[in-house]
Amino acid sequence: MDWEGIFGGMSSASFFNFSFMGKYGGYILQALGYTLLLAVVSVLLAIIPALVLAIMRLSKNKIVRTISGAYIAIFRSTPLLVQLSIIYFGLFGAVRIPNTWQLFGFIPLSRFIPGVVALALNSSAYVAEIFRGGILAVDIGQTEAARSLGLPAWPAMRMVVLPQAIKNVLPALANEIITMVKESSICSTLGMAELMFAAKTVAGSTYITLAPYTIVAVIYFCINYPASKAIEAIERRMRRGDRK
Amino acid sequence: MKKLIALLLALAMATGLTAAFADGTLVFGTSADYAPFEFMYPDENGNMVYGGIDVMVAQYIADELGMELRIENMDFNYLLTALSMGDFDMVLADIEPTEDRKKAADFSDPYISEKPERILVRKADAEKFQDAATDFQGVSVGAQTGSTKVDKASENLTGCVVVPLQLVTDLVNELVNGKVDALVLDGSVAESYAAQNEDLVIAEKASEVFGAYNEVAVAVAKGDPKGLLPGINAAIAKMTEEGKVEEFRTFVATLQGIEEVSAEAPEGYAKDGE
């Protein structure tokens, strides 16, 4: 496609001057891969800690409850950008990752790992709340029935409550990935070459200052809107088995 | 216990701080959203590579030191922080060594006498902004945060209201959309935007307030722990003597399609992106 020919005549401050796409289209696609990887990996990493946090949060032990509560409170009450900066320069200032290690040849791990860790730590606070809601939504009668059949507390949780809770939270979990796809744009400030970073780079390199943002907005939308529709469909499908 | 500590130390050495220098790689940090100094473009195979005047200077320095250059890209505001943490060996990002910055890093001799700041305005307003002392009363002037431009704008354009933003591209958007009425940018950057965008012009007369030139230097970590400065300075001296910077400038302009001159790529340059 002759992007240069079609859009070349437009003002470089136009929202629709896509003349850079011929040269930078491949780069933007690669950036999309980076974004998706950041989002999916960080939510997957967040699941186990989140489950632990949620169960701690529901514990009878006050200290355990407070620890989990404090973690969730801290990560939900401070901006992600602040957390990212502190984790990148603080934690990963002490723990060095050799900056020659690369994933798929274009993702330097020395950036990717701090980014994923920050997003996952942040995400685990939110996912923990999702899990807690999911566990609480399971009828207390289920626990009572399990306990009266002689199951101790933890097996009752693990074998009766959690399977039902996980079914409850799957749609919310998928929504968290969508949120992460958008939130991960914050990693652009630390040089992770995801979509927002690609937009900034293209704008700074071509002097076409607005159209790159239009492109990435369209890409974000085309990823997230169908994904959220798909989740809705899955949610409907899963509700079919529920007793009316 | 001692063995354990020794092992940990060895591990830290192997994975961390000194590795970059020891293996003959020179890690160069920059913020590649600042054409014509540093930016990214696709090479003939479609791979994104780094280009720009600073990138070519860095390559020259690496060649002179007999090291291999590796480029790391990061937001301008974080560059000197990451440098002091040992993420990079040096930073070239059109940095003027101001007093404040000298507290955070050590600087080489200047490698470019850069054109001074220029005031970029909308074409329709070109007549309005003639005199830096009188015409900027109450006018919103955009400048890049973390750069010297914020201070220079408020010092030189009497009565102006400075609007600091992180990215030059965002500043240009603000100007085009009328959110600010003028921008203070580096001379080369302002000229590039004026050349690329027909609605924007440089307020030449008012810009004279910024003097004749600015000096741009290479930053290394405070105290020069890796002992790079003497080598860098020697390379800069040689480069200046050979008049290389002008050659780089012309080549970069050709690369961006600003000038029609067809210059051959100076050997080994502009292809060494990540």
Side-chain angles (χ1 to χ4, degrees), chain A residues 11-13 15 22-24 26-27 30 81 85 88-90 92-94 96-102 108 110-111 188-192 197 200-210 213, chain B residues 15-17 20 23 27 32-36 39-42 48 70 72-75 78 81-82 85-88 166-167 169-170 172-173 176-177 189 192-193 196-197 199 255-256 258 274:
Chain A
S11 154
S12 48
F15 277 104
K23 272 170 100 181
Y24 291 90
Y27 175 59
Q30 201 178 57
L81 182 56
S85 304
Y88 187 90
F89 288 113
F92 286 92
R96 312 298 292 215
I97 298 159
N99 40 17
T100 44
W101 294 359
Q102 294 220 340
S110 59
R111 305 283 171 89
S188 63
T189 51
L190 290 170
M192 287 165 234
F197 183 87
K200 288 200 259 188
T201 303
V202 173
S205 302
T206 58
Y207 307 102
I208 298 171
T209 46
L210 284 171
Y213 298 114
Chain B
T15 53
L17 298 168
D23 66 8
V27 184
D33 54 14
Y34 204 62
F39 54 94
M40 295 181 88
Y41 68 99
M48 291 300 285
R70 214 188 47 248
E72 290 277 335
N73 197 359
M74 192 179 265
D75 212 80
Y78 291 114
T81 315
M85 282 174 48
D87 277 8
F88 318 135
Q166 245 179 14
L167 289 180
T169 51
D170 289 345
V172 172
N173 290 336
V176 171
N177 294 319
V189 176
S192 300
Y193 275 101
Q196 293 279 318
N197 193 324
D199 299 328
L255 198 65
Q256 298 180 281
I258 293 174
E274 242 171 16

Side-chain angles (χ1 to χ4, degrees), chain A residues 133-145:
Chain A
I135 292 170
L136 289 178
V138 176
D139 197 297
I140 187 75
Q142 298 282 335
T143 317
E144 284 165 359

Side-chain angles (χ1 to χ4, degrees), chain B residues 223-250:
Chain B
D224 192 19
K226 290 168 186 165
L228 289 169
L229 264 189
I232 292 176
N233 280 335
I236 289 173
K238 186 161 170 237
M239 186 175 74
T240 311
E241 203 182 286
E242 292 170 0
K244 281 279 181 197
V245 172
E246 276 318 303
E247 199 179 304
F248 295 163
R249 217 187 267 279
T250 318

